[in-house]
Amino acid sequence: MASRMAAAADTEVQIITGNQAMALAAKRCRVQVVAAYPITPQSQVTETLSEYVAAGELDAEYVNVESEHSALSVCIGASSVGARAFTATSANGLAYMCEPLHWAAGARLPIVLGCVNRAMAAPWSVLNDQQDSMSQRDAGWIQIFARNNQEIFDTAVQAFKIAQTVSVPVMVCYDGYLLSHTVMPVDVPSQEAVDTFLPPYTPHTILDPADPRNLNQVTLADPRENEKGVLCHGYMELRYLLEEALEQARDTIIAVDEEYAAAFGRSCGGMLWTYRSEDAEVLLVAAGSLASEASVAVDALRADGCKAGVIGVRAYRPFPKQELIEATAPAARVLVFDKSLSYGNEGPICGDVKAALYGSGSHPAVHGYIAGLGGRDVRAAELAEAVRRDAAKGAVAPTEWINCRI
Amino acid sequence: MSYFSSTSPGGICEIRWHGRGGQGAITSAKYLAEAAYRAGFRGVTSQPSFGAERRGAPVTASTRLSPEPLRTFCRVERPDVVIVLDETLLDCADATDGLEDGGWLVVNSPCEPGAIAADGRFSVATADATAVAAECGLVVAGAIMVNTAMLGAVARATGLVELTHIEETLRDKFPEAIATRNIEAARAAFERTRL
């Protein structure tokens, strides 16, 4: 039972885990269908939601399924008939959703998925890194990282609004155990306040037995007329529109965060957040709780006279290209800390940062670091030490692994 | 205060709990975080040691307290306070590993603090939480639940929170009759803590 302490008039502070924050956000967003399969460290999200449903606190259909593939497929069906649908998973569970992940995005269904970031097997690990969601970055979903439990709640509420505004599903990513199992204070807005912020979901197309139609039928290479003689898009046009929606989602992500700040007094930063970056000569870039840890390293570096700052990647897809160009403008060096790998290349965020800066006129040295795979602890002191060592590197340097004892 | 050590950045107090699976170390680590929020700390976190846990085996949990919201979530390696729910863990789990100079070791033990083997770098407090909990009827399926009594001992030894903050937290957690027994245990342990 979470503790409830009065804060402002229509909010209360609860000392809760990241998983509880996610479940509570889904409840506040009045999800109508929940389908999930248990997997560590996500299980507490759907356990909590099932308790809400069983207690009559949440008027939702809780669908027990035999796999993650079915969990997301149920959400696809639910969303197609006009219900607000939610699921959550981790690691191999997300991998098992791979096929319906692409389907949900292609069908333009505003499903929200809580991805509690965990290392991929083999070998088995239940502990944290970000390989699971990174490996699904090209599925056509919006991916947003949270850096603490408050941001998990706030981002989840925002995610439902973003998803239904642009008709693209949203994955809310947060670090397993480090956030999912750690309690911290979360300011929880009232049901009435969230109802005012988040309008009901109005589907773009509805699957209705009384009005039969084909949804996502076989689509050929070129546009062709449907049975009513209406010229319809080919596959390529539909893909163009999905990409256009992801690109346009930048404005929506920023606008929804601004609306949220106006309503609740807290901003998550829009596409990215920064910490002491305005005059920074060296910038640390990371996503999720690792970026939060980096802000502690920056305090130590600043105390030693090193002008350091942090860029926290919040939206990973769409990628915050323009914001990165602007935020890195004063820096001579950019260190990117990835909790995952694009094997045979480098950390995925590092590669994306380099690509974003190419041709922008901003040419800091960008150096990649791999940290915290499979639950390996990452301390602020190690990040600060990496920054000090980095000063000796040239413009181009191989990826360095932090605290890898090989 | 000595337990806001210079090695913990930003005036963070770091606390590590040692217990055996089923004793409630993880739960009381959370309760302490809540009590500290009631005491005015704005940054409070509590986390279990990550990985597999099983009944009877040594487990650890941690609590961090700070005047400002916390931005660090890594493992606690240099605690300012170590709380031990089972005295045998002092030897087999190396419970005082990394404990800061000038910190506190709070042990569930019937012995005087001087009888706890320590090298003088930190202060030692003891409370017979097992006896207190048994007197208060905190027995679940034959196991004596010492964790809430230990919260009283921690309040007495470290002064991080007041008894009232613990009482408010426990009242929020349990039905009234059970809350009352746990609060009695915390109060009694507070009174009977030896420094």
Side-chain angles (χ1 to χ4, degrees), chain A residues 274-294:
Chain A
T274 57
Y275 181 77
R276 304 182 81 166
S277 67
E278 293 76 9
D279 63 339
E281 290 162 3
V282 55
L283 282 164
L284 293 76
V285 180
S289 70
L290 182 58
S292 180
E293 204 72 42

Side-chain angles (χ1 to χ4, degrees), chain B residues 87-126:
Chain B
E87 205 179 345
T88 62
L89 295 170
L90 282 173
D91 296 324
C92 67
D94 199 12
T96 59
D97 183 45
L99 177 56
E100 289 284 1
D101 292 356
W104 273 102
L105 172 66
V106 186
V107 187
N108 170 22
S109 167
C111 303
E112 292 295 324
I116 304 292
D119 58 13
R121 289 190 304 108
F122 45 80
S123 306
V124 181
T126 58

